Amino acid sequence: MPKRFNLREEAQKAFQNRKRKPELKRDAVLSTAAHLFLKHGYRRTSMEDIADHLEITKPALYHYFTSKDDILVGCYSQGIASILTRLDDADKATGSGLEKTRAFLRVWVETITTMEFGQCVVSLDDNELAPAARSEVRRLKRRIDRSLRERIAEGIADGTIKPCDIRLVAFAFGGAVNSIGAWYDPNGKLSTSAFVKAYTDILIDGVSMAPAPKPVRSSRRGARSTKSE
Amino acid sequence: MPKRFNLREEAQKAFQNRKRKPELKRDAVLSTAAHLFLKHGYRRTSMEDIADHLEITKPALYHYFTSKDDILVGCYSQGIASILTRLDDADKATGSGLEKTRAFLRVWVETITTMEFGQCVVSLDDNELAPAARSEVRRLKRRIDRSLRERIAEGIADGTIKPCDIRLVAFAFGGAVNSIGAWYDPNGKLSTSAFVKAYTDILIDGVSMAPAPKPVRSSRRGARSTKSE
Amino acid sequence: MPKRFNLREEAQKAFQNRKRKPELKRDAVLSTAAHLFLKHGYRRTSMEDIADHLEITKPALYHYFTSKDDILVGCYSQGIASILTRLDDADKATGSGLEKTRAFLRVWVETITTMEFGQCVVSLDDNELAPAARSEVRRLKRRIDRSLRERIAEGIADGTIKPCDIRLVAFAFGGAVNSIGAWYDPNGKLSTSAFVKAYTDILIDGVSMAPAPKPVRSSRRGARSTKSE
Amino acid sequence: MPKRFNLREEAQKAFQNRKRKPELKRDAVLSTAAHLFLKHGYRRTSMEDIADHLEITKPALYHYFTSKDDILVGCYSQGIASILTRLDDADKATGSGLEKTRAFLRVWVETITTMEFGQCVVSLDDNELAPAARSEVRRLKRRIDRSLRERIAEGIADGTIKPCDIRLVAFAFGGAVNSIGAWYDPNGKLSTSAFVKAYTDILIDGVSMAPAPKPVRSSRRGARSTKSE
DNA sequence: CATGAATGAGGATTCATTCAT
DNA sequence: AATGAATGAATCCTCATTCAT
């Protein structure tokens, strides 16, 4: 098991001593749930599964969360918060829009390959959630997307990124990044850092050997051409 | 509702006459199911939902499919068959490995933006399936992936594609393409064909204005660095 | 497969020629059903199973029988008729009550080991049937039981059978005979006729080497001591 | 209703208090189920029937048993355990093989006429069970059969039982005993103990007044002549 | 007659959630 | 605070039986 999972190993311990802070137990529930949700899917993970893994009882979960949806929202929040925090750090490195975008992707990919909460954000289907919870999650998600688009726009403005449909690019990057959870094995031969770089560069630079014949000239107002979400 | 969905409107008609080509009814079930699966997810779509949409009763579905899994497998098969068929056509256009890869992506993106069955292949989680059905589906899916990798390899060999970790590229492309279903709106301003071209070119050529500073130099034996599946 | 089953093989043929007599088809249904009922139980045999084995369609069965219950009653009737017929023959052999009883058992055991319909009578649970059908079947069954009891009574009267509770003896014999279907293998080493004799003698003569120390002295009015059925 | 069933009347009480020995409730489920299984058959008894009789809801049953099969296996186990326990006691009475066999039958008959669980063992069709549960049950059943055969063999060896095909005798006895559940009425005129003695003696000593003309001389290797199970 | 299609009435099982203690 | 017990609402699937053609 990769070491990024040992949060979960600690999770059980949090419940073994009743004196521990409730905050810790909340986290324990969250990281256990995140792990199971990723492994088996939200629907197929029952409250009982989560409770069993923590060696507590089902109703105990309801002390910390009001519902299963609430737990999922918790996972999303944690993941998005992590990404956003790291992103702030990355931004201090001033540079061209292209370099900022590259840095953004790197942080994003890194978070996902490193943290289960990060993966939750990209792998879990928020359609599972009740409407209220769903829009809360989407609001959070949009912050990442907006952040990415701003950097791309900056790159286009300063001439380091080709003129292109920002939304399409953001979606393409998002899709490629989000898929990582489905196949990436942190114990593979490629080191995490090498993987992060390679994957980022593929997206930013493409695979074509020659410079692209012509710059992409799609409508600049592509925004309307895709769903609002 | 987008016009590409009006197949489904026809679906109900297929059941209005008791005597009617069973093949037609089977297809009607399949396209209705595909639509609902995509909209609400496989688990959250009940057999009753499907039956209600077709204005038939639940057990009637079991005339055409042995189980819910069987219906999902049917959707996958249809989608994969479509993609593979179109891919064959695209291949006749001989060209460099790069151009073949580009053509491949175009066909792939096009299928997904055009057919709900195509979207099923990329959006539906085959983890929902029983083991037997799951491996059947994975076998089919692998054919697409293999096909893509062969073209990339060809491009690397003929020097039109940068030396790179083929698996990573295939995954990045796959992820970006698969995500389309989640946000693409066929009624958006951008025409389908414009979208297909733009999206494909982003992936192939990247967004960086300058030629990449250095070619991607990841380990050439990257295969082991990612999960086998 | 034992040869006593080849009636069933013929069953399918009966339906291959539409010109054949409907009576033959009825029989074909009956013997196929008997076979399946014995093999899997009445409840677990579906009308579809029967139809499939005969290579006809389900509704066709309803041409010959009004319901599944009706088929089961048919099986019972055939079996009971066979037993009763053979019993009449056996009775012509005049003899003591003991010998008549022994002959009766022999015929009974023989019928059961030889005919699937015979086995139906003893192995199938008439509780499965709707009330009307059930009492019809029970009426038929009682005729066998009555026949056996008469012979035992005759033996007691003529001093060849110990004074005993006739009902208990009849039930003991019935139980032992009825169980045959559950374990007897017509292809076993013991020939059918040897088996019939051995089994009958065990019941009639017991297994004790010495003559029983004292005659059985149960209440002579034991009849009332057991359920009426 | 016969008084041997009033365990069941107590069954409902077991569920009247939320806090109560779970063992008690498990037993309540089991005895209620046993009763219904015997009365209507396994298949025709629904989980809802059982729940209704206990005045609880269907899913509550799943607290105590994982499945309907599990309940049936529970009934079998209880019955077989009872028989085996009583058998051990009976065996302490040393004696000839014949007397041991007689004692065995007495205990067996007694258990069946006294306990519904005993009847389950003999009356319920284990073909209803899933393969795993079925072989578990059969393993248990075989222990009783083996026990009986050992005693018969002992009797043959010490000359108190006629040389005979042990398997046939065991089957005949088993069949006769198993049938008891189908017709015995514990409230009949005959007392249980009188019934037990009378029934046992019929089987052991036969009904023939005269000593049997010739000892049964079936093939001594009759084992092969019947199915293995 | 025969048949493919359709259905109504269950039945086992799962699970998020809430009580009673 | 924590738990064992209980529940209601689904959900998939089966099957005897009946139509429409």
Side-chain angles (χ1 to χ4, degrees):
Chain A
M1 274 295 132
K3 69 172 180 300
R4 69 186 163 123
F5 290 164
N6 57 13
L7 271 182
R8 202 172 30 82
E9 284 150 26
E10 314 247 321
Q12 285 149 26
K13 287 183 202 155
F15 276 92
Q16 283 167 14
N17 186 347
R18 293 195 176 184
K19 303 294 179 200
R20 295 214 191 192
K21 287 170 192 152
E23 194 50 38
L24 264 179
K25 297 190 186 177
R26 235 191 92 97
D27 288 351
V29 171
L30 237 31
S31 66
T32 299
H35 182 69
L36 294 173
F37 289 166
L38 288 172
K39 201 164 161 194
H40 305 120
Y42 178 71
R43 281 294 271 251
R44 266 163 314 172
T45 303
S46 69
M47 291 297 263
E48 188 151 18
D49 289 340
I50 300 174
D52 284 355
H53 269 249
L54 289 164
E55 289 173 9
I56 60 169
T57 60
K58 235 188 309 182
L61 290 172
Y62 288 87
H63 268 280
Y64 302 100
F65 297 90
T66 67
S67 70
K68 199 182 167 189
D69 271 19
D70 193 23
I71 297 181
L72 182 51
V73 172
C75 291
Y76 277 122
S77 303
Q78 290 263 2
I80 290 170
S82 293
I83 293 172
L84 255 21
T85 302
R86 299 194 193 194
L87 242 34
D88 279 348
D89 293 350
D91 247 19
K92 286 166 194 158
T94 47
S96 67
L98 178 67
E99 284 320 304
K100 278 185 179 172
T101 303
R102 201 186 294 268
F104 184 104
L105 279 186
R106 238 175 243 175
V107 165
W108 198 6
V109 170
E110 201 173 78
T111 308
I112 283 169
T113 53
T114 308
M115 288 189 58
E116 290 196 304
F117 288 129
Q119 258 191 62
C120 286
V121 179
V122 301
S123 305
L124 263 24
D125 185 358
D126 52 25
N127 259 114
E128 308 284 355
L129 293 169
R134 182 161 57 231
S135 49
E136 162 71 4
V137 163
R138 295 204 170 154
R139 198 179 50 75
L140 291 169
K141 279 184 174 179
R142 245 188 313 271
R143 290 176 52 190
I144 295 180
D145 198 46
R146 198 182 323 124
S147 210
L148 171 58
R149 291 186 199 179
E150 284 165 10
R151 283 161 177 80
I152 297 171
E154 210 178 316
I156 296 177
D158 70 16
T160 50
I161 288 181
K162 302 175 196 167
C164 58
D165 185 325
I166 295 179
R167 289 183 63 93
L168 289 194
V169 172
F171 280 133
F173 287 3
V177 171
N178 287 352
S179 79
I180 291 172
W183 48 265
Y184 179 70
D185 174 8
N187 297 108
K189 269 202 179 165
L190 208 52
S191 73
T192 298
S193 66
F195 165 72
V196 170
K197 180 172 175 12
Y199 205 70
T200 301
D201 290 348
I202 288 168
L203 293 174
I204 296 283
D205 302 315
V207 297
S208 166
M209 184 61 102
K214 288 176 194 167
V216 177
R217 288 284 310 171
S218 70
S219 88
R220 228 154 260 152
R221 292 251 151 30
R224 287 280 164 69
S225 72
T226 48
K227 274 188 221 155
S228 63
E229 193 279 328
Chain B
M1 274 296 132
K3 69 173 181 299
R4 69 184 163 125
F5 290 163
N6 56 13
L7 271 182
R8 205 170 31 78
E9 284 149 28
E10 316 243 319
Q12 284 146 25
K13 288 182 202 152
F15 280 92
Q16 277 167 18
N17 254 339
R18 206 150 181 153
K19 272 277 152 55
R20 194 95 172 224
K21 298 256 166 67
E23 197 50 40
L24 229 60
K25 298 193 184 178
R26 232 191 96 98
D27 287 352
V29 171
L30 235 30
S31 67
T32 300
H35 182 69
L36 294 173
F37 288 166
L38 287 172
K39 200 164 161 197
H40 308 288
Y42 178 72
R43 283 291 268 256
R44 264 161 315 160
T45 303
S46 70
M47 292 297 266
E48 189 152 18
D49 289 342
I50 301 173
D52 285 355
H53 270 250
L54 289 165
E55 286 170 15
I56 59 172
T57 60
K58 230 184 323 176
L61 291 172
Y62 289 88
H63 265 283
Y64 301 97
F65 297 90
T66 67
S67 68
K68 198 182 166 190
D69 270 19
D70 193 24
I71 297 181
L72 182 50
V73 172
C75 291
Y76 277 123
S77 301
Q78 290 264 4
I80 290 172
S82 294
I83 294 173
L84 256 20
T85 303
R86 301 193 191 193
L87 243 32
D88 278 348
D89 292 351
D91 248 18
K92 285 167 195 157
T94 46
S96 66
L98 179 68
E99 286 318 306
K100 278 185 178 171
T101 303
R102 201 186 295 269
F104 183 105
L105 279 185
R106 238 173 243 174
V107 165
W108 198 5
V109 170
E110 200 174 81
T111 307
I112 283 169
T113 52
T114 307
M115 292 188 57
E116 289 195 307
F117 290 130
Q119 260 190 59
C120 286
V121 179
V122 301
S123 305
L124 263 24
D125 185 359
D126 52 24
N127 261 113
E128 307 285 354
L129 292 168
R134 182 163 57 232
S135 50
E136 163 71 4
V137 164
R138 295 210 168 148
R139 198 178 53 75
L140 290 170
K141 279 184 173 179
R142 245 191 311 272
R143 290 175 53 189
I144 294 180
D145 197 48
R146 198 183 322 124
S147 210
L148 171 58
R149 290 186 199 181
E150 283 166 9
R151 284 162 175 78
I152 298 171
E154 210 177 315
I156 295 178
D158 69 16
T160 51
I161 289 182
K162 300 175 196 168
C164 58
D165 185 325
I166 295 179
R167 289 182 64 94
L168 288 194
V169 173
F171 280 131
F173 287 4
V177 172
N178 288 353
S179 78
I180 291 171
W183 47 264
Y184 179 72
D185 173 8
N187 297 109
K189 271 203 177 165
L190 208 52
S191 75
T192 297
S193 66
F195 165 73
V196 169
K197 179 171 176 7
Y199 205 71
T200 302
D201 290 347
I202 288 168
L203 292 174
I204 296 282
D205 302 314
V207 297
S208 167
M209 183 59 103
K214 292 173 195 171
V216 177
R217 291 280 312 169
S218 71
S219 88
R220 229 153 262 150
R221 294 245 153 36
R224 287 277 165 70
S225 70
T226 48
K227 274 188 222 153
S228 63
E229 199 277 326
Chain C
M1 273 294 134
K3 70 170 180 302
R4 69 186 163 122
F5 290 164
N6 58 12
L7 272 181
R8 201 171 32 81
E9 283 150 27
E10 314 249 318
Q12 286 149 24
K13 288 182 201 155
F15 277 91
Q16 285 168 12
N17 186 348
R18 294 198 177 185
K19 303 295 179 200
R20 296 215 190 191
K21 287 171 190 150
E23 194 51 37
L24 262 180
K25 296 191 186 176
R26 234 190 93 97
D27 287 351
V29 171
L30 237 30
S31 66
T32 299
H35 183 69
L36 293 173
F37 289 166
L38 286 173
K39 200 163 161 196
H40 305 121
Y42 178 72
R43 282 292 271 251
R44 267 162 313 171
T45 303
S46 70
M47 291 297 264
E48 187 151 19
D49 288 341
I50 301 174
D52 284 355
H53 270 250
L54 289 164
E55 288 173 9
I56 60 169
T57 61
K58 237 186 312 180
L61 290 173
Y62 288 87
H63 268 281
Y64 302 101
F65 297 90
T66 67
S67 69
K68 198 183 169 190
D69 271 18
D70 193 24
I71 297 181
L72 181 51
V73 172
C75 291
Y76 277 121
S77 303
Q78 291 263 3
I80 290 170
S82 293
I83 294 173
L84 256 22
T85 303
R86 300 196 194 190
L87 243 31
D88 279 346
D89 293 350
D91 247 17
K92 287 168 193 157
T94 48
S96 66
L98 178 68
E99 285 319 304
K100 278 185 177 170
T101 303
R102 202 187 293 269
F104 183 104
L105 280 185
R106 239 174 243 175
V107 165
W108 198 5
V109 170
E110 202 173 78
T111 308
I112 282 168
T113 52
T114 308
M115 289 188 58
E116 289 197 306
F117 289 130
Q119 258 190 61
C120 286
V121 179
V122 300
S123 304
L124 264 24
D125 185 358
D126 52 25
N127 260 112
E128 309 283 355
L129 293 168
R134 183 161 56 230
S135 49
E136 163 72 3
V137 164
R138 295 207 170 151
R139 198 178 52 72
L140 291 170
K141 278 185 175 179
R142 243 190 314 272
R143 289 175 55 191
I144 295 181
D145 197 46
R146 198 180 324 123
S147 210
L148 172 58
R149 290 186 199 179
E150 283 165 9
R151 284 161 176 79
I152 297 171
E154 210 176 317
I156 295 177
D158 69 16
T160 49
I161 288 181
K162 298 175 197 170
C164 58
D165 186 325
I166 293 178
R167 289 182 65 94
L168 290 194
V169 172
F171 280 132
F173 287 2
V177 170
N178 287 353
S179 78
I180 291 172
W183 48 264
Y184 180 72
D185 173 8
N187 298 109
K189 269 201 178 169
L190 207 53
S191 74
T192 298
S193 67
F195 165 72
V196 170
K197 179 172 175 12
Y199 205 70
T200 301
D201 290 346
I202 287 168
L203 293 173
I204 296 282
D205 300 316
V207 297
S208 167
M209 183 60 100
K214 289 174 195 171
V216 176
R217 291 278 313 168
S218 71
S219 89
R220 231 152 258 154
R221 295 242 152 37
R224 289 275 165 70
S225 71
T226 47
K227 275 188 221 153
S228 63
E229 197 276 329
Chain D
M1 273 296 135
K3 69 172 179 299
R4 70 185 163 124
F5 290 163
N6 57 13
L7 271 181
R8 204 171 30 80
E9 284 150 28
E10 316 243 320
Q12 285 148 24
K13 288 182 201 155
F15 280 92
Q16 278 167 15
N17 255 338
R18 204 148 181 158
K19 273 278 150 58
R20 195 95 170 226
K21 298 255 166 66
E23 196 50 40
L24 228 59
K25 298 193 185 176
R26 231 190 97 97
D27 287 352
V29 171
L30 235 32
S31 67
T32 300
H35 182 70
L36 294 172
F37 288 166
L38 287 172
K39 199 162 159 196
H40 309 287
Y42 178 72
R43 283 293 268 254
R44 266 161 313 161
T45 303
S46 71
M47 291 298 264
E48 189 153 19
D49 289 341
I50 301 174
D52 284 355
H53 270 250
L54 289 166
E55 286 171 12
I56 60 172
T57 59
K58 231 187 319 179
L61 291 172
Y62 289 87
H63 266 282
Y64 303 96
F65 297 90
T66 66
S67 68
K68 198 181 166 191
D69 270 19
D70 193 23
I71 297 181
L72 181 50
V73 172
C75 291
Y76 277 123
S77 301
Q78 290 263 3
I80 290 170
S82 294
I83 294 173
L84 255 21
T85 302
R86 299 192 192 195
L87 242 32
D88 278 347
D89 293 350
D91 247 19
K92 285 168 194 157
T94 46
S96 66
L98 178 68
E99 285 319 304
K100 279 185 178 170
T101 303
R102 201 186 295 268
F104 183 106
L105 279 185
R106 238 174 244 175
V107 165
W108 198 5
V109 171
E110 201 174 80
T111 307
I112 282 169
T113 51
T114 308
M115 291 188 57
E116 290 196 305
F117 290 131
Q119 258 191 61
C120 286
V121 179
V122 301
S123 305
L124 264 26
D125 185 358
D126 52 25
N127 261 111
E128 308 284 355
L129 293 168
R134 183 162 56 230
S135 50
E136 163 72 3
V137 164
R138 296 208 167 151
R139 199 179 51 74
L140 291 170
K141 280 184 173 180
R142 244 189 313 272
R143 289 176 54 190
I144 294 180
D145 198 46
R146 199 184 321 126
S147 211
L148 171 58
R149 291 185 197 181
E150 283 166 9
R151 283 162 176 80
I152 298 171
E154 210 177 315
I156 296 177
D158 69 17
T160 51
I161 289 181
K162 300 175 196 169
C164 58
D165 186 325
I166 293 178
R167 289 181 64 93
L168 289 194
V169 172
F171 280 132
F173 287 4
V177 170
N178 288 353
S179 78
I180 291 172
W183 48 263
Y184 179 72
D185 174 8
N187 296 111
K189 270 204 178 163
L190 207 53
S191 73
T192 298
S193 66
F195 165 72
V196 170
K197 181 171 173 10
Y199 205 70
T200 301
D201 290 346
I202 288 168
L203 293 173
I204 296 282
D205 301 316
V207 297
S208 166
M209 182 60 102
K214 289 174 195 170
V216 177
R217 291 282 312 171
S218 70
S219 87
R220 228 155 262 153
R221 293 248 149 35
R224 289 275 165 71
S225 69
T226 48
K227 273 188 221 154
S228 64
E229 200 277 327

